[in-house]
Amino acid sequence: MDTFSILSSPSHTFFTRLLSLKPSPPHPLLHHLTQTLAFSSPKFPHSQNLLRFRVTVQSPSSAFPAKSQLSDADDDEEEDEFEEDDDEDVAADEYDDISGDMSDGLEQSDDEIEMEDSMAGAEPPAIRDEEFRWQRVEKLCEDVKQFGEEMIDDGSLASIYDFRIDKFQRLAIQAFLRGSSVVVSAPTSSGKTLIAEAAAVATVAKGRRLFYTTPLKALSNQKFREFRETFGENNVGLLTGDSAVNKDAQVLIMTTEILRNMLYQSVGMSSARDSLFHVDVIVLDEVHYLSDISRGTVWEEIVIYSPKEVQLICLSATVANPDELAGWIGQIHGKTELVTSTKRPVPLTWHFSTKTSLLPLLDKTGKHMNRRLSVNYLQLSAPATKSNKDDGSRRRSSRRRASETSYDDSTGNMSRRPLSKNDINLIYRSQVPQVTDTLWHLKARDMLPAVWFIFSRKGCDAAVQYIQDCKLLDDCEASEVELALKRFRIKYPDAIRESAVKGLLRGVAAHHAGCLPLWKSFIEELFQRGLVKVVFATETLAAGINMPARTAIIASLSKRSDSGRTLLSSNELLQMAGRAGRRGTDERGHVVLIQNPYEGAEAGCKVLFAGLEPLVSQFTASYGMVLNLLAGSKVTRRSSESDETKASQSGRTLDEARKLVEQSFGNYVGSNVMLAAKEELARIEKEIEMLTLEISDDAIDRKSRKLLSGPAYKEIADLQEELRAEKRLRTELRKRMESQKLSSLRPLLKECENGHLPFLCLQYKDSEGVQHSIPAVYLGKVELLSGSKLKNMVSVDDSFALNAVAAESEPTSVFEPSYYAALGSDNSWYLFTEKWIKTIYKTGFPNVALAQGDALPREIMSTLLDKTEMKWEKLAESDLGGFWGMEGSLETWSWSLNVPVLNSLSEHDELLIKSEAYNHAVGRYKEQRSKVSRLKKKISRTQGFREYKKIIDMANFTEEKIKRLKGRSRRLTNRIEQIEPSGWKEFLQISNVIHETRALDINTHTIFPLGETAAAIRGENELWLAMVLRNKILLSLKPTELAAVCASLVSEGIKIRPWKNNSYIYESSSTVIDVVSFLDEQRSIFLQLQEKHGVNKPCYLDTQFAGMVEAWVSGLTWREIMMDCAMDEGDLARLLRRTIDLLMQIPKLPDIDPVLQSNAKTASNIMDRPPISELAG
């Protein structure tokens, strides 16, 4: 029984609505129904027609919480996750910071309103010719059986609705009927689901099958109810992790992960089409989830693996690059047509709420911010900000502000001193409204009901407490809520949220991940019935729950993150705003942004006008993907498998798998980016070539000859020729000086190998040309160090290869550079050749033990270096070897602190000055540099130099432009190198881990029992879960203990939230702790194996909440387990559902011990009880 059944009690209000549907004369069925509604507990006949009408009319917007308008859903498969957690510490203080959502305001014809009502579930569909939609669908199916498929066209499909369908809906249906796959991008609540419903009607009429996928279990359940109303119970099925109902039905609704796993099974078989049981159409609802960082890869995999014969209907919220999405699907799947719409069915009006008023956010043009919301304007009404001063101070402050401000009424301009950041913050704080301030503005302007978004659970709960004394319901509505509460309490006594009852009876409620799913569903139903006027909700409500309101309010334009407060993205803002405006009910929807201490209206406009964000590929390889793509023959053979089945599962070759993996959306977009980058690079290189010719000596000479007189030109030309010769000599001498420095450094470094550890100055230029000088303490030559790790790496890795070069000082000799190691003052290790040493000092660390028997400093530092993971980063490179850096450790930190800064090191301590050969080379270079400088001055005193300087200045300007272009060229080249096919490298890394664990032999494609189990598991790290579930240590566990161990594998993201006196959680039994400790050792080994192959997949194992699950399986009631509990109800329910999901998989996994399967089934059956059990349908 669903929650809506509890709420279906008739009321005077709904009785009136029923009568208004068909005023005169009333239909006999309607007359009979209204008579029935006069009773408080009506009993309805079980006639299919009457039941269908009764539910629709009696609870028009809640009976079937239609998700037909789900277009901006961004949630995890669990319907509520943890995005609100970031603000918990300050949440209760921010609940009164409000920001609003969007509003619609387009007048529509009656037909259009009825269409949108039927799709959004806002109003009951009107009766046309005494037929319901399901009857018209049946009639169309009969016509197709009798007259053939030619009866199916866009007109016949549109005729099943009581309204005129929109243009974009008709275009999409026409594209589908032409046999194309279709990508539809349209705003929230615009009616995208109608397209999928029409496709389902056509498919069912043809006797074929359609799969409909949603990202959330809750949405799948919702769609299941809706589609049964249209197609009948026998024609619609459901597949989620929890439920399997009528799975052979013509219309099968499922979560995306379920479909992806089905395609895994088919992708390696000889006939993928047969494996999908004659499916003609796959609908991917909320396809913009493709950008979701944790789950986006699922949508890409479905598109890649789907048979080309299957039509795809991809429904997306408005995004910046729908053309790229359609282009990608068309390239890998076949003919695809794009249909877009930017028109919202209900226009939105944007407002901004301050302490004293509710103002339009935008000006009359809608393109700029309302000037009355500017900081300077708000400052006029800001009260004195120095509240800690006495009255005299405040009066002086007021007079000072008055003298500093002038306001021109005729122009609306203000002139005053520039405002500091502190001034602006004070103004913002002075304008922050209380919840009641904004609420009464909304009530006075008839802008309720409203969804009020606050980015924290505590903030939502605190807001409810704050306004629970404000009565928003009339007596009739309050009695309806009270009756619904009584019924809900009888059905689900443990699901009542007692702290929220008082507010609910006044018309306000909270909706967030800390609430039980049953309670949230109850709130949704009451809201859709108009019995809750304000819902304080976290972001999850915007992500796909069907709760359209007249107004959406957004409390803050920023959220807390790991890097501090960050502004919402434009997509996030519009997604929340999309909840505003009920199609068929509201002429306009309203979005209210609220002044808060952190940002004002300027930030709101900045986000609003920032533009939509594009879809971004999140394709990533997983253990399940690799195993299912590569798996061939099995080591084990079960009697249930036929030879034909085994022959078809031959597995794909690596080349075949690579072709699939490299079809990702990211690679498609990347190839377009690479093409554009290469074209840009060619243009830049051509421009550099042309500009280089303009500043060549010949070009400058031609310009000089043309501009200067004969004698002036000859004088400058002769001096320039002489200058060029002297510059060449200067360059030669500089090279000799550098070469002599290298030759002089080597013996100095050799002397230090067995003595003290001298200080060095290392110097290099980064990729941007910035020069860095680093003080460091010299450790020694790499090949002479006691540690072997670095020595082996340098000798084996080609990245560290060195080449001998001819010595400039002695052309007949060859200089062979060597690698040395040092610890910098920044606690970084450096690996370098002689090239990167600027100088070496005679001072340093004495190589003497601190106490008798202690190791020498050089030995200690060598040991510390050898213990490091050797993750070197190349900072610079040259012909004489690279310059590498790597972070030190906590143990090296104290050593690095004793390296002095360069300013404190004396030039007299530099050892290089003791080398006569080096000093001589330096002297000659400096002399030549002075000669070049004198010659430049001589040229500047010539007769024609003023005109000549203009030519040189222009050449220098051109040279700077060439430098900028070369920098741009380097960046483009680096980007092109980085744009490599994504996913394949990770695929190979994962396959290496699989191969080494003997889950699959990637050479023969033989899959072993561990691989079979992992391939069938749904989870974050399938291989790790399989390794745990196949461990014999689990066989000795009781069902309660097994459930607790399974909970430790899936508790990621669950948090303790102690407040007031609630600080208690149950502890795990000693048996569970011992088993998890044993598994933790296995986990460490597996993590090392992953690290060895460059794989970074999480392996969760945490006993913190296992005791809570153990207590639940042991039979404790919900009230007992939640008494003084430090967990939110929603968090515990989510943990229990995750644990149930894993336990329910165990009996279905291949090659699992029957004892474990039996215990898992027992545990899951015990756990799956109210108030966490979820019924489908």
Side-chain angles (χ1 to χ4, degrees):
M1 181 175 183
D2 236 329
T3 307
F4 67 77
S5 301
I6 298 171
L7 302 174
S8 58
S9 174
S11 67
H12 175 76
T13 305
F14 289 108
F15 180 82
T16 306
R17 289 184 187 173
L18 283 171
L19 294 179
S20 67
L21 287 176
K22 196 80 172 177
S24 175
H27 190 273
L29 178 61
L30 181 59
H31 176 73
H32 170 72
L33 183 60
T34 54
Q35 294 299 314
T36 307
L37 289 175
F39 298 93
S40 60
S41 299
K43 297 185 184 287
F44 294 93
H46 293 288
S47 162
Q48 184 183 24
N49 297 3
L50 184 55
L51 174 62
R52 185 172 282 110
F53 183 75
R54 162 257 186 191
V55 174
T56 304
V57 175
Q58 195 170 310
S59 182
S61 59
S62 64
F64 299 97
K67 194 55 191 148
S68 51
Q69 313 283 344
L70 293 176
S71 40
D72 284 21
D74 254 6
D75 211 339
D76 199 34
E77 183 172 346
E78 295 168 339
E79 56 185 326
D80 36 34
E81 278 300 332
F82 312 104
E83 64 280 312
E84 68 275 273
D85 295 351
D86 296 328
D87 285 348
E88 288 303 310
D89 294 338
V90 294
D93 298 328
E94 293 182 5
Y95 68 84
D96 56 341
D97 304 338
I98 316 295
S99 275
D101 231 317
M102 300 170 64
S103 84
D104 312 333
L106 180 64
E107 289 190 22
Q108 301 168 315
S109 68
D110 292 340
D111 287 345
E112 288 171 329
I113 292 174
E114 289 170 359
M115 170 198 70
E116 294 152 11
D117 291 343
S118 69
M119 292 161 47
E123 291 290 334
I127 300 174
R128 186 192 69 179
D129 299 330
E130 288 74 41
E131 282 186 334
F132 296 100
R133 188 187 305 174
W134 67 270
Q135 293 174 311
R136 295 193 287 272
V137 171
E138 284 186 358
K139 183 176 179 181
L140 178 60
C141 290
E142 289 298 324
D143 288 346
V144 173
K145 286 180 182 179
Q146 184 175 357
F147 301 107
E149 295 182 5
E150 292 78 12
M151 295 297 298
I152 301 175
D153 58 21
D154 60 312
S156 62
L157 293 175
S159 69
I160 67 174
Y161 299 100
D162 295 301
F163 45 79
R164 183 175 65 251
I165 65 175
D166 288 345
K167 181 180 179 181
F168 86 93
Q169 294 167 330
R170 187 176 293 275
L171 290 174
I173 292 171
Q174 290 171 349
F176 167 75
L177 294 176
R178 286 193 292 268
S180 301
S181 291
V182 187
V183 173
V184 181
S185 176
T188 304
S189 302
S190 58
K192 295 185 291 294
T193 305
L194 180 144
I195 299 162
E197 191 176 67
V201 171
T203 305
V204 169
K206 294 176 183 178
R208 305 292 293 182
R209 301 187 76 201
L210 175 142
F211 284 178
Y212 192 112
T213 71
T214 77
L216 314 176
K217 292 178 185 177
L219 298 189
S220 294
N221 292 339
Q222 198 173 77
K223 288 295 179 189
F224 178 58
R225 294 192 293 266
E226 292 175 14
F227 274 66
R228 283 199 305 183
E229 283 299 303
T230 300
F231 298 101
E233 294 185 5
N234 294 331
N235 292 323
V236 183
L238 175 69
L239 275 181
T240 67
D242 301 324
S243 306
V245 180
N246 197 16
K247 62 182 181 180
D248 294 326
Q250 283 186 277
V251 178
L252 188 59
I253 298 166
M254 64 189 72
T255 50
T256 46
E257 279 78 4
I258 297 292
L259 177 57
R260 191 267 308 271
N261 292 345
M262 293 174 65
L263 290 170
Y264 272 160
Q265 297 168 14
S266 69
V267 78
M269 301 179 70
S270 57
S271 177
R273 184 163 177 78
D274 289 343
S275 69
L276 287 184
F277 306 101
H278 306 292
V279 175
D280 272 9
V281 185
I282 293 176
V283 178
L284 296 176
D285 203 355
E286 317 299 343
V287 77
H288 52 268
Y289 261 71
L290 185 143
S291 287
D292 185 83
I293 195 167
S294 60
R295 298 177 64 214
T297 185
V298 179
W299 277 259
E300 291 193 58
E301 289 183 67
I302 289 174
V303 173
I304 293 170
Y305 303 149
S306 293
K308 293 185 183 295
E309 299 86 354
V310 176
Q311 285 179 269
L312 300 179
I313 297 179
C314 303
L315 308 178
S316 170
T318 309
V319 293
N321 57 341
D323 53 334
E324 289 184 332
L325 177 64
W328 169 62
I329 296 175
Q331 178 175 292
I332 66 172
H333 191 75
K335 184 180 178 183
T336 302
E337 297 186 43
L338 172 65
V339 177
T340 62
S341 174
T342 57
K343 179 182 177 182
R344 276 189 53 87
V346 183
L348 296 177
T349 300
W350 291 77
H351 309 268
F352 194 83
S353 176
T354 66
K355 191 175 185 65
T356 58
S357 58
L358 182 66
L359 299 171
L361 176 66
L362 307 175
D363 62 11
K364 292 181 180 179
T365 67
K367 297 180 180 179
H368 304 284
M369 185 184 75
N370 181 355
R371 63 179 177 81
R372 295 179 64 189
L373 295 172
S374 67
V375 175
N376 285 335
Y377 200 109
L378 292 176
Q379 188 180 14
L380 291 175
S381 58
T385 55
K386 307 282 186 177
S387 59
N388 58 331
K389 301 290 185 72
D390 58 21
D391 291 344
S393 298
R394 285 198 291 272
R395 284 194 295 272
R396 289 192 296 272
S397 175
S398 177
R399 287 194 297 271
R400 184 163 57 251
R401 282 199 308 277
S403 66
E404 290 172 349
T405 306
S406 62
Y407 182 76
D408 185 350
D409 289 328
S410 62
T411 63
N413 293 325
M414 288 159 290
S415 59
R416 61 180 304 130
R417 61 179 176 81
L419 295 171
S420 67
K421 186 175 181 179
N422 188 53
D423 291 333
I424 294 174
N425 287 337
L426 289 173
I427 294 171
Y428 282 166
R429 291 179 185 280
S430 70
Q431 293 295 324
V432 174
Q434 298 293 318
V435 174
T436 49
D437 296 334
T438 303
L439 180 61
W440 294 124
H441 283 301
L442 300 178
K443 188 171 176 63
R445 301 189 188 195
D446 193 25
M447 290 168 65
L448 298 178
V451 176
W452 200 312
F453 291 104
I454 299 176
F455 302 130
S456 75
R457 302 179 188 184
K458 284 186 179 179
C460 293
D461 292 337
V464 171
Q465 298 296 321
Y466 188 74
I467 65 168
Q468 66 180 1
D469 292 329
C470 303
K471 188 175 180 181
L472 300 178
L473 301 178
D474 58 33
D475 292 340
C476 180
E477 291 170 327
S479 64
E480 286 191 60
V481 173
E482 192 169 2
L483 179 60
L485 269 169
K486 288 180 180 178
R487 295 186 172 187
F488 186 82
R489 191 184 296 274
I490 294 171
K491 182 67 178 177
Y492 303 111
D494 289 335
I496 287 285
R497 201 163 191 251
E498 297 294 349
S499 61
V501 169
K502 182 178 178 181
L504 197 59
L505 292 171
R506 297 299 181 111
V508 296
H511 185 292
H512 54 69
C515 305
L516 279 171
L518 283 172
W519 179 257
K520 288 195 296 182
S521 178
F522 179 60
I523 297 301
E524 292 162 19
E525 297 291 340
L526 291 178
F527 187 83
Q528 291 166 6
R529 288 179 59 189
L531 300 178
V532 173
K533 303 301 182 183
V534 179
V535 169
F536 294 96
T538 52
E539 222 176 338
T540 49
L541 189 143
I545 305 302
N546 185 30
M547 286 180 64
R550 179 168 294 167
T551 301
I553 307 159
I554 304 172
S556 175
L557 288 164
S558 62
K559 297 187 296 184
R560 282 189 178 273
S561 66
D562 294 339
S563 57
R565 297 197 71 88
T566 56
L567 277 179
L568 298 174
S569 68
S570 178
N571 286 21
E572 289 172 326
L573 177 64
L574 294 177
Q575 184 177 356
M576 287 182 281
R579 297 300 102 196
R582 297 164 297 178
R583 193 168 187 174
T585 301
D586 301 320
E587 291 187 358
R588 303 197 71 83
H590 302 275
V591 186
V592 180
L593 307 183
I594 295 185
Q595 177 71 61
N596 66 61
Y598 306 104
E599 60 270 324
E602 293 90 346
C605 291
K606 178 182 177 181
V607 176
L608 184 60
F609 295 136
L612 293 168
E613 296 177 331
L615 289 175
V616 179
S617 173
Q618 301 294 345
F619 187 86
T620 180
S622 66
Y623 289 108
M625 176 196 295
V626 175
L627 287 164
N628 281 287
L629 290 184
L630 297 183
S633 60
K634 302 175 182 178
V635 170
T636 59
R637 178 188 177 94
R638 286 177 286 279
S639 58
S640 60
E641 292 178 336
S642 66
D643 291 335
E644 183 180 350
T645 301
K646 295 181 75 65
S648 68
Q649 293 177 329
S650 57
R652 293 179 179 266
T653 66
L654 282 176
D655 286 340
E656 290 172 332
R658 180 168 189 165
K659 288 178 182 177
L660 279 176
V661 171
E662 291 186 351
Q663 288 180 343
S664 71
F665 180 57
N667 287 337
Y668 172 80
V669 175
S671 63
N672 293 340
V673 172
M674 180 179 285
L675 181 62
K678 286 182 176 179
E679 291 177 354
E680 176 71 3
L681 185 61
R683 185 193 66 78
I684 290 174
E685 289 175 347
K686 185 176 181 180
E687 187 174 0
I688 289 175
E689 184 180 350
M690 294 176 59
L691 293 175
T692 302
L693 290 175
E694 291 182 13
I695 62 171
S696 64
D697 290 344
D698 290 341
I700 292 176
D701 187 68
R702 286 194 301 271
K703 292 177 183 177
S704 301
R705 190 188 296 272
K706 183 177 180 181
L707 193 62
L708 302 177
S709 63
Y713 166 74
K714 186 175 185 311
E715 181 182 15
I716 288 180
D718 291 343
L719 289 173
Q720 280 293 340
E721 184 62 35
E722 184 181 354
L723 179 63
R724 281 192 285 270
E726 296 298 339
K727 282 184 175 180
R728 285 193 293 270
L729 179 57
R730 182 187 63 180
T731 302
E732 180 70 21
L733 291 174
R734 182 180 56 79
K735 289 181 179 179
R736 290 186 181 183
M737 178 184 69
E738 289 292 330
S739 180
Q740 188 60 57
K741 184 184 78 169
L742 298 179
S743 300
S744 301
L745 278 172
R746 180 162 287 181
L748 295 175
L749 294 169
K750 188 175 182 180
E751 290 177 11
C752 300
E753 289 298 336
N754 298 318
H756 75 299
L757 286 67
F759 297 132
L760 307 173
C761 176
L762 303 175
Q763 196 170 73
Y764 76 99
K765 285 186 179 181
D766 60 23
S767 58
E768 301 297 326
V770 179
Q771 183 164 284
H772 301 267
S773 296
I774 305 165
V777 58
Y778 175 70
L779 180 57
K781 195 173 183 178
V782 169
E783 62 186 44
L784 300 177
L785 293 177
S786 58
S788 60
K789 192 187 292 186
L790 179 58
K791 193 187 311 180
N792 293 337
M793 185 191 71
V794 169
S795 61
V796 173
D797 195 332
D798 292 339
S799 303
F800 298 93
L802 295 174
N803 300 312
V805 294
E808 294 287 343
S809 56
E810 300 178 30
T812 58
S813 64
V814 173
F815 180 80
E816 296 183 1
S818 301
Y819 274 116
Y820 303 86
L823 179 67
S825 61
D826 57 354
N827 195 28
S828 294
W829 288 106
Y830 291 101
L831 182 65
F832 52 91
T833 62
E834 296 88 349
K835 154 77 178 174
W836 310 103
I837 302 176
K838 180 183 179 183
T839 189
I840 182 170
Y841 298 90
K842 64 183 180 182
T843 56
F845 292 167
N847 193 31
V848 179
L850 293 178
Q852 188 174 1
D854 287 355
L856 298 176
R858 179 175 272 109
E859 294 174 2
I860 296 174
M861 292 181 67
S862 297
T863 302
L864 294 177
L865 175 58
D866 207 46
K867 286 169 61 177
T868 315
E869 294 185 27
M870 297 297 157
K871 294 183 179 179
W872 294 96
E873 176 188 1
K874 182 180 280 190
L875 304 176
E877 58 183 337
S878 74
D879 295 337
L880 292 170
F883 184 75
W884 304 75
M886 175 179 67
E887 287 187 11
S889 64
L890 190 61
E891 295 172 289
T892 60
W893 181 56
S894 59
W895 292 87
S896 67
L897 291 177
N898 287 304
V899 178
V901 296
L902 293 175
N903 289 343
S904 63
L905 293 170
S906 172
E907 293 183 3
H908 300 293
D909 289 335
E910 294 184 24
L911 295 177
L912 273 176
I913 62 175
K914 295 182 179 180
S915 170
E916 293 184 6
Y918 176 66
N919 286 333
H920 178 68
V922 171
R924 288 195 62 191
Y925 171 71
K926 287 182 177 179
E927 182 181 336
Q928 183 62 25
R929 192 172 59 184
S930 298
K931 191 173 182 179
V932 169
S933 180
R934 290 194 297 270
L935 196 53
K936 285 182 178 179
K937 288 182 180 179
K938 186 175 181 180
I939 293 173
S940 67
R941 291 193 291 268
T942 58
Q943 178 182 355
F945 178 73
R946 180 174 294 180
E947 298 300 324
Y948 179 75
K949 188 174 184 301
K950 294 179 182 178
I951 299 173
I952 297 301
D953 287 344
M954 183 57 67
N956 290 337
F957 177 80
T958 304
E959 195 168 353
E960 287 297 320
K961 185 176 181 180
I962 291 173
K963 285 182 181 179
R964 291 194 297 272
L965 288 172
K966 284 183 176 179
R968 169 77 173 150
S969 176
R970 282 194 303 272
R971 289 190 293 272
L972 277 174
T973 302
N974 292 336
R975 188 178 184 190
I976 290 172
E977 291 174 353
Q978 292 167 358
I979 300 176
E980 60 182 40
S982 63
W984 181 243
K985 181 180 178 181
E986 186 180 18
F987 188 96
L988 289 178
Q989 291 169 332
I990 288 175
S991 66
N992 289 333
V993 175
I994 288 173
H995 183 74
E996 192 162 336
T997 56
R998 298 295 293 166
L1000 173 79
D1001 187 326
I1002 60 174
N1003 298 315
T1004 64
H1005 296 271
T1006 301
I1007 187 168
F1008 296 95
L1010 175 61
E1012 288 188 62
T1013 304
I1017 288 179
R1018 300 189 314 272
E1020 284 290 322
N1021 188 322
E1022 302 92 337
L1023 187 56
W1024 164 240
L1025 292 175
M1027 293 172 73
V1028 172
L1029 297 179
R1030 293 181 60 81
N1031 200 304
K1032 299 301 181 184
I1033 196 173
L1034 299 188
L1035 299 181
S1036 62
L1037 299 179
K1038 300 174 184 176
T1040 54
E1041 296 164 343
L1042 176 61
V1045 172
C1046 288
S1048 70
L1049 299 170
V1050 295
S1051 61
E1052 185 268 336
I1054 305 293
K1055 296 180 181 179
I1056 289 180
R1057 304 171 188 275
W1059 64 289
K1060 296 183 180 177
N1061 297 321
N1062 297 351
S1063 57
Y1064 182 78
I1065 60 173
Y1066 286 89
E1067 295 182 356
S1068 305
S1069 63
S1070 59
T1071 302
V1072 172
I1073 293 174
D1074 291 342
V1075 170
V1076 172
S1077 298
F1078 172 79
L1079 293 175
D1080 196 41
E1081 296 176 7
Q1082 309 300 312
R1083 174 176 173 270
S1084 298
I1085 296 172
F1086 183 62
L1087 285 173
Q1088 290 175 9
L1089 179 61
Q1090 285 196 151
E1091 186 177 354
K1092 172 185 173 182
H1093 293 289
V1095 175
N1096 183 25
K1097 296 288 182 184
C1099 302
Y1100 301 122
L1101 190 66
D1102 182 8
T1103 59
Q1104 184 177 19
F1105 303 105
M1108 299 293 290
V1109 176
E1110 201 170 358
W1112 180 249
V1113 187
S1114 298
L1116 265 69
T1117 66
W1118 187 258
R1119 291 184 184 276
E1120 289 172 336
I1121 203 171
M1122 288 305 301
M1123 189 177 297
D1124 296 330
C1125 181
M1127 296 177 68
D1128 281 348
E1129 289 182 315
D1131 285 339
L1132 180 56
R1134 185 161 44 255
L1135 175 61
L1136 294 173
R1137 292 270 10 138
R1138 287 182 186 175
T1139 306
I1140 291 171
D1141 180 65
L1142 181 55
L1143 288 168
M1144 290 177 68
Q1145 290 186 60
I1146 294 175
K1148 305 172 187 175
L1149 297 176
D1151 206 62
I1152 292 293
D1153 193 289
V1155 173
L1156 186 68
Q1157 291 179 326
S1158 176
N1159 287 340
K1161 189 173 183 179
T1162 300
S1164 63
N1165 288 339
I1166 295 172
M1167 291 181 67
D1168 197 9
R1169 64 184 191 269
I1172 65 160
S1173 55
E1174 298 171 357
L1175 301 179

